[in-house]
């Protein structure tokens, strides 16, 4: 044990760190020597064999990160305790300025390895060797308070909730009184006190932040506004100074309200799932928190109730509104064996459901988690804006200093004139409208998409979706249902179509062949009674034979027909026609004549053609179908859907090759698949989209955009919403930059007053937030608001 120095009266704290690379006593001495240089160290213990370092230190003088940093500096990695992740809700983190202050404050602390911000949800994630207490203390240093995510917020008092609004109102009243006296011609000594009181009330929340920004050497908008207001008062422009503070405090109140609207979009998703569930235990029903229900338990959902957890129906039949999860407009029938999702609404009968996922793992929980992660990710446009704003503010402040100094020194006017113009430049240096223009639009777009059953995994993918020029579709399971079904029943003689189907199903009963299942499902759907079949015989490569009600019947392909010598010109023509249409034809024959033909195919989705036409109408230039199926079937499906570019008989790597070929021609390619078999193509494309993701975890993980419903009509909606959001972002950025450019020129020429600059700057912030919130509205397939 090493005694380093007596700490003052600070309370003692200790930490244990697992340190790698220690293999001899000299390693321990190096670590001890490094730690001796830190003020506040009390004791150090080094366990070389165990790889541990235990440190006792004076709390308040040192942080865990300081200790980890001192160990790391002498070449020993802190492998345990160094990388931990904690998330906090930061009250008052409403603007990029607060984000920048937190980055400057926390980013300098030793041991902090990564910071992530979700501005709209006020979430801060910290990775590194630093305790929660140290994080909170650092945030208090910039005037912000934090609580661990998941911890209930303390009930807020009236002043905490309404204090800013009240003081803004008081500031406005004093300002109005002062201006009234000015206009009445009795200003001067009577109006100045009112303007001073207006400034004091308006600056009550602004001034402390400005002071902390100055102390931390950061140029945030609070500091710039206070400099402008104080400067105006110094040169006798009391009304201007009070106007600056009042307008700025008004803008902050309105901006907070607007941002809360965007936050509520995600909160609405979280509120979809009920917090309690009615569970059946030991034959009795009891209501308990949904989080306490275990997988395998039976929950009871009555008509009108929301389903609290994912599961499978074990008893009861009902219609369930799945719109909150999949975006489907009509209720979906549920029966024993059907899957149900948390957050959907039971509309009719009582359902008993066996729980398949815990509350944290439900499809709804995964959607919310994915949307929250998407909010925290930075889109290209957002990264550009952040980089630009970091250069813009210092550059404009430096330019304001030059405006203050150079013209008077060169004899172009008095100091007071250029001092005033420099103050106006400081107001314009605030980049708030520009910085907030992108995230509020992106989050609104993500939330609007999630409401419609479209899960977009981040701003990058939303922007990519807005730039897509080519759409490649997997055929089976995407353009088609992915399972064989009877499409035609054709009698070749006097027997009715229903009897043809009944005899074929009677022969195939008990078979597990996909074509046999299609025939049996059609017969069951039509309510046809099956006859017992005897002497069943499989004819390899041709079909089957069986005896039904005393007669021999054959069911098989064209080869069987030729071998039996029962083909006729009529049957040959029908078989050829079905082959051209991409259908598999099964012929039913007696011992001496053909009786009928059943055509089977993978059914094309009814909405597929209309969806493809809608995609073309919103600017998708090239639509292509990729499939491993045979060329004849692929061409038939392509013709039915109006797709000219059809690539058939492709292995998974062949699909990747086609996508690469399109991208080399300059296309931005989206690939639409099932999220399971198409993983290579989904990963290679500019944008990967998976359908029917509500029931598959794989699709939720692999795709960039997951369509929760098994519905192709959501595709044009997803692309239209993305393009509309992208347009909103571009308009916001251009508008913000244009306002800045105009007022820089106006301030330089003396046409802009201080209050005009504040009104323009804060007004621009409110305009871009309001415009960004338009992305919450779901567009139609043409990309226009519905």
């Amino acid at each position: 044990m090493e005694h380093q120095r007596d700490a003052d009266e600070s309370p003692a704290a200790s930490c244990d760190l697992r340190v790698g690379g220690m293999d001899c006593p000299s390693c321990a001495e190096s670590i001890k020597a490094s730690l001796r240089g830190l003020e506040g160290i009390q004791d150090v213990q080094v366990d070389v064999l165990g790889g541990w370092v235990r440190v006792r230190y004076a709390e308040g003088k040192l942080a865990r990160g300081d200790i980890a940093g001192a160990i790391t500096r002498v070449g020993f990695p802190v492998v345990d305790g160094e990388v931990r992740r904690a998330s906090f809700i930061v009250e008052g983190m409403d603007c990029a300025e607060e984000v920048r202050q937190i980055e400057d404050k926390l980013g300098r602390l030793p041991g902090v390895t990564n910071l992530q911000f979700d501005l709209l949800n006020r979430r801060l994630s910290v990775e590194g060797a630093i305790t929660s207490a140290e994080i909170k203390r650092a945030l208090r240093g910039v005037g912000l308070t934090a609580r661990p995510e998941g911890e209930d917020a303390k009930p807020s008092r009236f002043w905490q909730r309404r204090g800013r609004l009240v003081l803004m109102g008081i500031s406005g009243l004093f300002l109005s009184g002062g201006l009234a006296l000015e206009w009445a011609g009795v200003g001067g000594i009577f109006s100045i006190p009112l303007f001073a009181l207006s400034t004091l009330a308006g600056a009550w929340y602004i001034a402390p932040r400005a002071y902390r920004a100055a102390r931390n050497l950061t140029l945030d908008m609070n500091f710039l506004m206070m400099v402008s207001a104080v400067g105006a008062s110094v040169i006798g422009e009391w009304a201007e100074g009070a106007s600056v503070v009042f307008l700025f405090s008004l803008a902050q109140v309105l901006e907070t309200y607007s941002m809360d609207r965007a936050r509520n979009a995600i909160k609405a998703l979280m509120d979809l799932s009920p917090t309690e569930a009615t569970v059946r235990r030991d034959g009795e029903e009891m209501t308990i928190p949904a989080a306490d229900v275990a997988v395998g338990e039976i929950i009871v959902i009555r008509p009108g109730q929301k389903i609290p957890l994912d599961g499978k129906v074990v008893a009861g039949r009902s219609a369930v509104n799945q719109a909150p999860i999949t975006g489907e407009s009509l209720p979906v029938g549920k029966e024993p064996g059907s899957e149900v999702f948390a957050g959907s609404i039971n509309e009719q009968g009582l359902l008993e459901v066996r729980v398949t996922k815990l509350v944290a793992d439900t499809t709804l929980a995964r959607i919310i988690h994915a949307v929250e992660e998407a909010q925290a990710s930075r889109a290209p446009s957002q990264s550009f804006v952040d980089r630009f704003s970091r250069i813009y503010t210092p550059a404009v402040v430096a330019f304001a200093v030059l405006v203050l100094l150079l013209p008077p020194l060169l004899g172009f006017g008095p100091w007071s004139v250029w001092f005033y113009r420099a103050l106006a430049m400081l107001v314009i240096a605030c980049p708030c409208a520009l910085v907030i223009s992108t995230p509020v639009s992106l989050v609104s777009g993500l939330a609007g998409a999630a409401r419609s059953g479209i899960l977009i995994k981040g701003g990058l993918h939303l922007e990519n979706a807005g730039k897509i020029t080519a759409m490649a579709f997997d055929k089976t399971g995407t353009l088609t249902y992915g399972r064989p079904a009877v499409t035609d029943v054709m009698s070749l003689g006097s027997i009715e179509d229903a009897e043809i189907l009944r005899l074929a199903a009677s022969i195939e009963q008990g078979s597990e062949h996909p074509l046999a299942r299609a025939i049996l499902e059609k017969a069951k759907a039509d309510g046809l009674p099956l006859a017992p079949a005897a002497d069943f015989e499989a004819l390899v490569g041709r079909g089957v034979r069986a005896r039904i009600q005393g007669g021999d019947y054959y069911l098989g392909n064209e080869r069987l027909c030729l071998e039996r010598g029962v083909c006729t010109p009529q049957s040959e023509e029908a078989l050829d026609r079905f082959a051209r249409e991409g259908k598999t034809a099964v012929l039913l024959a007696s011992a001496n004549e053909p009786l009928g033909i059943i055509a089977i195919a993978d059914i094309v989705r009814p909405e597929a053609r209309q969806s493809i036409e809608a995609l073309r109408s919103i600017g998708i230039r090239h639509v292509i179908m990729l499939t491993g199926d045979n060329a004849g079937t692929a061409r038939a499906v392509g013709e039915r859907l109006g797709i000219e570019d059809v690539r058939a008989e492709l292995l998974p790597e062949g699909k990747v090759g086609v996508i690469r070929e399109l991208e080399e021609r300059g296309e931005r390619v989206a690939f639409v698949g099932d999220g399971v078999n198409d993983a290579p193509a989904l990963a290679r494309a500019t944008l990967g989209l998976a359908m029917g993701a509500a029931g598959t975890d794989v699709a939720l993980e692999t795709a960039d955009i997951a369509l929760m419903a098994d519905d192709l009509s959501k595709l044009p909606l997803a692309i239209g919403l993305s393009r509309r959001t992208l347009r909103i972002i571009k308009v916001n950025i251009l508008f913000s930059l244009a306002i800045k450019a105009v007022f820089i020129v106006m301030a330089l020429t003396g046409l802009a007053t201080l209050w005009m600059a504040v009104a323009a700057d804060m007004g621009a912030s409110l305009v871009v937030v309001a415009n960004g919130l338009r992305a919450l509205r779901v567009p139609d397939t043409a990309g226009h608001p519905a």
Side-chain angles (χ1 to χ4, degrees):
M1 182 182 293
E2 289 270 336
H3 180 70
Q4 303 299 331
R5 59 174 61 88
D6 292 332
D8 297 275
E9 299 301 321
S10 303
S14 64
C15 66
D16 293 337
L17 301 172
R18 183 176 289 280
V19 179
M22 296 192 301
D23 51 22
C24 63
S26 64
C27 299
E29 290 304 319
S30 297
I31 291 172
K32 289 176 182 180
S34 180
L35 290 173
R36 285 190 189 105
L38 299 179
E39 183 181 356
I41 291 290
Q42 296 175 348
D43 291 299
V44 178
Q45 289 180 326
V46 180
D47 179 356
V48 174
L49 293 178
W52 283 96
V53 174
R54 173 167 292 174
V55 182
R56 194 156 63 91
Y57 59 96
E59 188 176 16
K61 288 199 170 187
L62 284 175
R64 183 188 180 97
D66 299 324
I67 297 167
I71 296 172
T72 304
R73 279 195 295 274
V74 290
F76 298 95
V78 181
V79 296
D80 181 27
E82 180 178 14
V83 179
R84 58 182 290 275
R85 183 183 178 91
S87 294
F88 298 86
I89 302 301
V90 182
E91 299 300 331
M93 190 173 74
D94 290 311
C95 186
E97 296 294 344
E98 282 89 14
V99 169
R100 194 163 300 154
Q101 287 184 18
I102 294 170
E103 285 179 328
D104 291 340
K105 189 73 174 178
L106 284 177
R108 293 199 195 111
L109 295 180
V112 174
T113 57
N114 188 35
L115 297 173
Q116 287 186 327
F117 297 90
D118 177 359
L119 188 60
L120 286 181
N121 286 316
R122 296 187 175 123
R123 183 185 294 108
L124 165 66
S125 298
V126 183
E127 292 181 6
I130 186 168
T131 65
S132 295
E134 292 162 352
I135 293 170
K136 291 179 181 179
R137 186 163 54 244
L139 291 173
R140 282 197 298 271
V142 293
L144 299 171
T145 58
R147 57 181 168 84
E149 186 178 21
E151 181 181 294
D152 291 336
K154 294 179 180 177
S156 57
R157 298 174 181 174
F158 173 82
W159 189 253
Q160 291 174 311
R161 289 181 283 110
R162 299 284 184 243
R164 190 182 294 272
L165 180 63
V166 170
L167 287 172
M168 182 271 294
I170 293 172
S171 175
L173 287 174
F174 282 127
L175 175 62
S176 301
L179 291 175
L181 291 176
E182 291 276 348
W183 290 330
V186 290
I189 60 170
F190 297 105
S191 61
I192 288 175
L194 293 179
F195 290 138
L197 289 170
S198 173
T199 303
L200 180 63
W204 190 265
Y205 285 95
I206 302 169
R209 288 191 173 187
Y211 166 73
R212 283 186 287 265
R215 192 179 63 186
N216 293 316
L217 301 179
T218 56
L219 295 172
D220 80 337
M221 59 183 180
N222 296 284
F223 176 74
L224 296 174
M225 289 294 174
M226 285 309 302
V227 169
S228 299
V230 171
S233 302
V234 167
I235 61 174
E237 296 290 344
W238 288 92
E240 293 273 7
S243 298
V244 166
V245 173
F246 168 71
L247 289 173
F248 183 58
S249 60
L250 171 64
Q252 286 191 319
V253 169
L254 294 176
E255 193 174 274
T256 299
Y257 168 76
S258 300
M259 295 289 282
D260 283 341
R261 278 198 61 197
R263 292 186 184 104
N264 290 338
I266 301 302
K267 187 176 182 296
L269 288 177
M270 299 178 182
D271 292 340
L272 286 175
S273 184
T275 57
E276 293 184 330
T278 301
V279 63
R280 181 169 292 153
R281 290 177 178 173
D282 300 325
E284 294 185 4
E285 292 182 9
M286 58 184 71
T287 300
I288 63 173
D292 293 342
V293 179
V295 171
E297 289 198 278
I298 303 297
I299 58 174
V300 179
I301 303 103
R302 291 179 170 77
Q305 290 183 336
K306 287 184 178 180
I307 297 173
L309 296 154
D310 287 6
K312 286 195 173 179
V313 177
V314 294
R317 283 177 166 77
S318 182
V320 173
N321 180 357
Q322 296 185 162
I325 309 300
T326 64
E328 293 167 287
S329 58
L330 297 176
V332 178
K334 300 293 179 181
E335 59 185 19
S338 299
E339 197 169 21
V340 294
F341 305 112
S344 50
I345 303 165
N346 181 23
E347 294 199 341
Q348 294 178 354
L350 183 141
L351 291 176
E352 294 183 14
V353 173
R354 187 179 304 280
V355 174
T356 57
K357 290 180 181 177
L358 297 174
V359 69
D361 301 322
T362 64
T363 300
L364 177 61
R366 292 166 65 86
I367 291 172
I368 292 169
H369 179 67
V371 171
E372 288 176 340
E373 283 193 337
Q375 290 179 57
S377 67
R378 288 178 181 265
S381 60
Q382 190 172 349
S383 299
F384 158 75
V385 166
D386 289 345
R387 290 194 305 270
F388 179 84
S389 64
R390 284 188 174 273
I391 298 169
Y392 169 81
T393 300
V396 175
V397 170
F399 185 55
V401 172
L402 292 177
V403 167
L404 169 64
L405 298 176
L406 289 182
L409 290 175
L410 297 175
F412 289 106
W415 285 91
S416 59
V417 170
W418 292 103
F419 182 69
Y420 184 86
R421 294 181 183 182
L423 292 178
M425 295 287 288
L426 288 180
V427 173
I428 297 163
C430 297
C432 201
L434 181 62
V435 172
I436 205 67
S437 62
T438 301
V440 72
S441 305
L442 284 175
V443 171
S444 296
L446 294 171
R451 287 177 177 178
S452 303
I454 302 166
L455 180 58
I456 303 176
K457 306 286 270 299
L460 170 63
H461 306 309
L462 187 144
E463 289 195 15
N464 282 339
K467 299 173 183 175
I468 291 301
T469 60
M471 187 81 73
F473 289 89
D474 174 53
K475 177 183 78 70
T476 306
T478 303
L479 294 172
T480 66
Y481 282 110
R483 59 181 184 273
V486 173
T487 60
D488 304 87
V489 179
M490 177 181 177
S491 175
L492 297 174
S494 59
I495 299 179
E496 293 183 355
D497 292 351
E499 182 64 11
I500 299 293
L501 182 61
R502 188 184 76 87
L503 288 170
S506 298
I507 295 171
E508 294 285 22
Q509 58 187 314
S511 173
E512 291 299 320
H513 191 280
L515 299 183
R517 285 203 302 270
I519 292 172
L520 287 165
E521 285 175 6
K522 176 64 174 173
K524 181 181 178 181
D526 290 354
L528 301 176
L530 304 187
D535 300 332
F536 182 88
E537 180 185 0
L539 307 173
V540 179
R542 292 159 292 171
V544 294
R545 182 194 69 81
R547 179 177 290 274
I548 299 175
Q549 295 173 339
D552 287 337
Y553 293 95
Y554 296 83
L555 186 68
N557 55 24
E558 186 177 13
R559 180 180 168 190
L560 178 62
C561 176
L562 293 171
E563 284 185 2
R564 297 295 305 167
V566 295
C567 287
T568 64
Q570 184 186 9
S571 66
E572 289 288 350
E573 189 276 330
L575 291 171
D576 288 343
R577 176 167 60 83
F578 288 135
R580 288 194 303 272
E581 293 175 358
K583 299 175 181 179
T584 300
V586 179
L587 183 133
L588 176 70
S590 64
N592 50 21
E593 66 173 332
L595 301 176
I597 297 174
I598 298 173
I600 300 171
D602 186 3
I603 301 296
V604 172
R605 294 178 184 272
E607 76 277 9
R609 186 179 184 99
Q610 185 179 358
S611 298
I612 289 168
E613 290 172 355
L615 286 169
R616 289 192 172 114
S617 72
I618 59 174
I620 302 298
R621 300 193 300 253
H622 193 170
V623 177
I624 182 171
M625 185 174 76
L626 310 178
T627 180
D629 209 342
N630 67 77
T633 301
R635 277 196 301 271
V637 172
E639 288 173 7
R640 227 173 300 166
L641 296 177
I643 301 176
E644 297 176 359
D645 193 348
V646 175
R647 314 286 180 95
E649 301 175 6
L650 294 174
L651 295 173
E653 55 267 29
K655 296 178 182 179
V656 172
V658 173
I659 291 171
R660 186 184 299 113
E661 171 197 325
L662 290 169
E663 289 180 338
E664 287 172 354
R665 282 162 35 189
E667 302 278 11
R668 291 178 177 268
V669 185
F671 179 79
V672 189
D674 59 12
V676 180
N677 301 319
D678 300 313
L682 283 167
R684 181 65 182 85
T686 307
L687 188 74
L689 298 101
M691 285 178 50
T696 62
D697 292 344
V698 176
L700 278 172
E701 296 295 336
T702 58
D704 301 322
I705 296 180
L707 308 181
M708 307 308 291
D710 211 19
D711 182 2
L712 275 173
S713 67
K714 297 290 182 183
L715 265 179
L717 180 64
I719 300 301
L721 187 146
S722 300
R723 293 196 167 186
R724 182 162 167 266
T725 304
L726 200 56
R727 285 197 301 270
I728 289 173
I729 290 171
K730 289 178 178 178
V731 168
N732 277 350
I733 292 173
L734 290 174
F735 175 74
S736 301
L737 291 174
I739 287 289
K740 296 293 181 188
V742 167
F743 271 84
I744 284 175
V745 173
M746 290 178 66
L748 193 60
T749 56
L751 296 176
T753 63
L754 277 178
W755 71 265
M756 286 172 59
V758 175
D761 191 75
M762 296 300 106
S765 297
L766 297 175
V767 167
V768 298
V769 168
N771 192 41
L773 290 173
R774 288 174 51 232
L776 283 169
R777 302 210 314 266
V778 178
D780 59 23
T781 53
H784 304 298

